[in-house]
Amino acid sequence: MDVTNVEEAIIAEEAGAVAVMASERVASDIRKDGGVARKDNILVTSFHPELTGDKKIYEYFLNFKTP
C-alpha cells in the first residue's frame, strides 16, 4: 500500500497491509496532477503513454535535463 507519512503507514499496517511504501506523493496524487512526477533524474508516469497516442511525454523525456 502506498502512503505519504508514518501515520498512514501505521493505519495501513493495522488494517492488514502486507507491504507499505512511503512516498512523497502516491499514484492517485500524481494522476490528479497530470500523471507525471519527477525527482532528480527519475521520471515516472501513472499511465501508459504508449497507449494514449499523445507524444508530449516523449518530447518531454527527450528534452529531460537533470537539475
Side-chain angles (χ1 to χ4, degrees):
M1 174 172 276
D2 293 339
V3 299
T4 58
N5 58 50
V6 173
E7 292 80 16
E8 290 177 353
I10 292 169
I11 292 168
E13 288 180 342
E14 288 174 351
V18 176
V20 177
M21 181 175 76
S23 302
E24 181 178 311
R25 295 166 58 205
V26 294
S28 61
D29 292 337
I30 294 169
R31 280 191 296 278
K32 181 178 64 179
D33 294 337
V36 179
R38 173 183 177 176
K39 181 173 180 179
D40 300 328
N41 65 339
I42 300 170
L43 181 71
V44 297
T45 62
S46 64
F47 61 96
H48 289 275
E50 70 277 11
L51 301 177
T52 67
D54 188 347
K55 304 290 186 224
K56 285 184 277 191
I57 189 68
Y58 298 109
E59 292 169 9
Y60 180 77
F61 181 75
L62 290 172
N63 294 311
F64 190 77
K65 294 183 177 49
T66 304

